[in-house]
Amino acid sequence: MVDVLSADQLTAKYPYDEYLNPLLQLMDIRAILSDCIIASDYRVSREMYEKIILTPYGDRVLESLKSKVPYPEARVLCLLELLHLDLLVDPIKSDMAGLLEEISGQIKSRAILLPYTSGRLLYDKAYRVAPKDNYYSMMTEKETAELLSETPQGVFQIGKLVTGPFGILQSQSSRVEFPSRHVCYHCADKSCPAIHKCWLSTAEKPPINAHRDKIQKQLEKESTQPSAWDEYFRFSPRRSLGGRSDLKGDPLVSVLGDVFNLEELRLILSWLLDNTRGIVRRTAGYCQLAGSSGQIAASLDAASCHQLILTASDRDLIGAIDSLIADKEIVVTQGEIRRGVLNDETFGIYDTRAEIGEYGVRLVSTRPGLAVLRLRRLVERMYRLDDENDRQELEWQLRGEDIDSIDAKIEQFLRNRSPREAVATLLLARRANMIVAAEELSLHESILTNDAARVNAVLWKLGFQIDDDSAIHRSFWRKHGSLTHVLRQGIATQISIARDDKVRAEASSYFVQLESVLQDSLFFTTWALLSDHFAESTKFVYRVSEGERFSRQRLSSFSTTLVDDPVHQVDFDDLLTLYPLARGFQILADGLCSLRNNPDQSLRPEREQPSWARRDSLERFPFVHLVPFLDLLPDSQELIVTRLKRVAQSLISTDANGARNEWMHGNRNPDVARLEACLDGIQSAVSMLEHSGFTRKIFRRTRSEIDEARRSKIYMSDAAGTELALMRPSQFSFLGLPNSTAPQHVMICAKFAEPFEVLRFVSENDSSYARIWRDYPLRRGSITAQITAADSVIGR
C-alpha cells in the first residue's frame, strides 16, 4: 500500500535534476493523447504500449485491471492517469523517443486527429455544414468526422513538442498551447459579442475510451486524494521560472494563423529556413523537404508552414516577423494592430497576448502596469547601477528629481513623466542606451531610421501606445502653416512670390493635401451618420474603400433628388476636386434634413431589433432607425446640419476653388492676396470638421477615475489635447461601440444619449489581415442549448 506523499517526499524520491525533464516530457505526451480525437475503430498499437515501462506502483495497478481491461489499453491508461499516489509510468526507463515516433506517425496517418483551430478554416466550415436552424454545444461523432475531413492536423505546442501535418516536431523554445477540442461560432443575435464554442466528440467505443472509468475507479479505491504533485511541480526550477516570464512565446502559437495569410506564413518560413543557422532547415530535411527556402515554403499549406515555423526559437521567430515587416515584405499599415480573433487567449501570470504592428511583434499584457515595470527594468539595464560611471550618468539625467535615493529618483521620474518623455530622455541620452534597448527588445535596425521611430519602437515593444494619429491631418496643418508663413512674409517684405516656382509648387501641394483631408472627412462623416452600423457584421468599424463606396452612392442619390439645378449637381462617382467637395458638405446637410423630415420611412423592423430591446432590461437600444443620424438627440441633429453648412460656406464664400485653380493650373499672375484670404476660410472649415468629430482624428484613453460605488469616468484625448469623458457603467454596453482602451474616432457632436454617449468608431486599413476577416463574424441560425457533460474518455 502506498501512502499519500507530500511535496518534500516526492522531491526526495524523484529529484528534480534526474526526473523533472523526462517527467515533464511524459506529461506533454500524455496531454497530446488526452486531448485528441479518435474514430470508433481505433486500437492501441503494440509500438505504443511496448514503449511504456511501468513503475512498481503502475504494475500493481495494471494487475488489478487485468480481468477488466485489455492489456494494451491498460498500459496506455496508466500513462493517461500517470500521477496518483505515486508515478504509474517510469519516465526514465520508458522509451520516450520510440513513443513519440509512434504517436507522431499516428498523427501523420490521421489515426489520431487534432482540429486545426488557428485561423478561420474550421470556423468557416462549421458555418457551412452546421444545421441551418440550430447550433449545438456538442457535435456528434459523425458531425465531428465530417467537420475534420479534408482539414489539416491541428498545430499546437506542449513544451517543445509541436503537433501538425508532419506529426510531432521538436521546437527550440518551450511553449504551451494545449490542443483545443472545439470549433468557434457566432449566434444569430447581432448584439452578442461572444464567441461561442461547439465541442467536438471523440469516439466512445474504442477500448481505450470505453475502459477509462475503470482505472479511475481503481485509483479512487486506493485514495480519493493523490499525492502532492501540484506542489512538486509548482516549486520545480523549470516551471516556477518559466511561468513568471513576461516574454515567453506561448501567445505566438495559435495567433499566427489568425494574423497572417498563407503568403505571409510562407515568407516567415522561408526567412527562418535561411536565417536560423541551419536549425529549421534540418527540421525541414527530417520532414523530407528539399530545395531552396522559397521552393520549400511554396510547396506547403498554411498548417504545414505554421508547424515548421514553431520549431524555431522565440527570438528567431520574432526576429523573422520583425525583419519581414521592417523590409516591407509583410506590409503592416500605419496604426494597424494585428491580434488573434478566434485565438485571443492570454498566457502566464501576466496575461500576455501577442500583437503585430508596424514595429513588429510584441507581447503585451491585458493587466495594467506591466509596460511600466518593463520600462523600469530597461532603465536598470541601460544604466548598470553597480558601475560608478553609469550611476553618475543616470544621476545626471535625473538631476531634476529632488530626492536622495537613486532608486527613488528612477521611480519618481518614471511616474512623473509620460512614457514617451521618459523613453526619449533616457533612450536618446547616449548611443550605448540605444544598443542595450535594441538587444533587450529585439529591435530591427532598419526600423530605427530616426529618433521618433526609435522612441516609437521602444514604446511599442514595452507595451505602451504609440503615435498613429491621422497622417493626412498632420501633413495638412504642416503645409498650411508653412504656406501661410511664406505668403505673409512675402507681403510684408514686398517680395514677388507669385512667380516663385517653389511657392507655386508648395501651394499646389497644399491644395492636393486639402482635397485629401476634405474627401476623407466627407466620406467618413457620410458613412458615420447614414450607415446602419448595428446591422454590420463588424460594428462601428470604418473601412476606407467600403466607406467611400457607400458614401459616393448616398451623396449621389442626395444630389440627384435634392438639387434641382443640374449645374449645381455633383457627380460623386467622378474625381472630386475642391469645389465638388465643398458642395458635398452642403448636399450631405440637405440630405440629412430630408431624412429628418420623414423619420418613419427609416424605422428598423421590430424583428431586426435585439431580443433584449423588446423586454424590460438594464440595457437600452437607441438605434430604432436604420439611419443613426435619426437616433441622435435633436440638438445634436441640428448642430451637425449647421456645422456641415458652415464648412461648405467657409470653403465656397472665400473662393478657395478659384485660388486653387490659379495656383495649380499655370496662371502666371495668381492673386496672392486672395490666396491669403482663402487660407483663413480653409482653416476655419478644417478646424470645424476636427472639432465636430467629422475627421478620423485619434482619441486615446489617458486616465480614469472611480468611486466606491464603482462609478467611473474614463478620459480620452486627442493629439491636440481635446479631452472628453465617458461615464461608466453605461446602459449601452451591448451596442458594439469600441472599447475605451482602443484608439478611436469620436464624433463629438453626434450624441445619442446623455450625458455623453456619442458615436465612436475605429478604422480598419485595407491590408492582408483585414481581408482575412472581412466578412467576420458569420451569423446564422439560433442557439439550442444542449449542454452535454464531457465524459472521462481519451480526448475529453
Side-chain angles (χ1 to χ4, degrees), residues 398-416:
L398 305 181
R399 61 191 180 278
E401 307 302 322
D402 188 17
I403 196 169
D404 292 334
S405 164
I406 184 65
D407 286 334
K409 282 187 176 184
I410 296 173
E411 191 69 24
Q412 184 167 288
F413 176 81
L414 295 181
R415 289 188 178 276
N416 293 343

Side-chain angles (χ1 to χ4, degrees), residues 18-254:
E18 182 180 1
Y19 278 89
L20 181 61
N21 286 334
L23 179 54
L24 288 174
Q25 188 174 38
L26 198 60
M27 292 176 67
D28 294 343
I29 294 173
R30 180 187 68 164
I32 295 173
L33 294 176
S34 296
D35 290 319
C36 70
I37 295 171
I38 56 176
S40 297
D41 59 354
Y42 181 85
R43 296 296 181 271
V44 170
S45 67
R46 175 185 294 273
E47 289 76 14
M48 180 184 290
Y49 76 78
E50 284 187 344
K51 305 297 188 297
I52 299 170
I53 306 300
L54 304 183
T55 62
Y57 176 65
D59 281 330
R60 286 199 293 274
V61 172
L62 181 69
E63 181 66 20
S64 67
L65 294 174
K66 68 179 182 180
S67 62
K68 310 171 189 176
V69 182
Y71 179 77
E73 280 71 23
R75 294 189 73 88
V76 176
L77 285 173
C78 287
L79 170 61
L80 293 177
E81 294 304 322
L82 186 60
L83 308 172
H84 191 54
L85 292 177
D86 204 337
L87 284 176
L88 279 80
V89 175
D90 192 318
I92 295 177
K93 294 181 180 178
S94 294
D95 182 359
M96 208 79 71
L99 184 59
L100 276 173
E101 184 178 358
E102 173 60 17
I103 297 170
S104 178
Q106 291 191 24
I107 292 175
K108 283 190 285 187
S109 69
R110 300 181 68 84
I112 288 175
L113 289 175
L114 299 167
Y116 185 58
T117 56
S118 296
R120 56 182 297 174
L121 176 67
L122 280 187
Y123 175 86
D124 288 350
K125 187 172 183 181
Y127 175 79
R128 293 194 304 270
V129 304
K132 292 184 178 180
D133 298 326
N134 295 290
Y135 278 104
Y136 300 94
S137 63
M138 177 167 279
M139 289 188 177
T140 65
E141 293 177 28
K142 181 179 179 181
E143 290 168 338
T144 298
E146 180 184 1
L147 179 70
L148 298 185
S149 66
E150 299 182 3
T151 65
Q153 288 282 28
V155 178
F156 303 100
Q157 183 169 349
I158 307 172
K160 291 192 173 183
L161 306 181
V162 184
T163 68
F166 294 111
I168 297 176
L169 301 177
Q170 293 278 346
S171 175
Q172 295 297 305
S173 285
S174 179
R175 310 179 186 102
V176 177
E177 171 72 0
F178 289 100
S180 299
R181 287 279 322 285
H182 66 265
V183 62
C184 296
Y185 72 93
H186 282 85
C187 66
D189 186 351
K190 293 180 180 179
S191 66
C192 178
I195 298 175
H196 303 286
K197 294 180 179 180
C198 181
W199 298 96
L200 306 180
S201 294
T202 186
E204 298 182 15
K205 183 178 178 181
I208 190 64
N209 283 340
H211 297 294
R212 184 73 180 267
D213 63 328
K214 294 183 175 61
I215 189 172
Q216 292 172 340
K217 290 177 181 178
Q218 178 61 36
L219 295 175
E220 288 174 359
K221 283 182 183 178
E222 297 182 3
S223 173
T224 57
Q225 178 70 34
S227 294
W229 291 106
D230 286 345
E231 291 184 41
Y232 174 85
F233 289 112
R234 187 180 306 130
F235 298 112
S236 69
R238 174 174 155 186
R239 287 292 166 97
S240 61
L241 178 63
R244 300 198 69 84
S245 172
D246 63 295
L247 297 174
K248 280 186 91 269
D250 300 40
L252 294 169
V253 177
S254 61

Side-chain angles (χ1 to χ4, degrees), residues 189 749 780:
D189 186 351
C749 62
R780 184 183 63 182

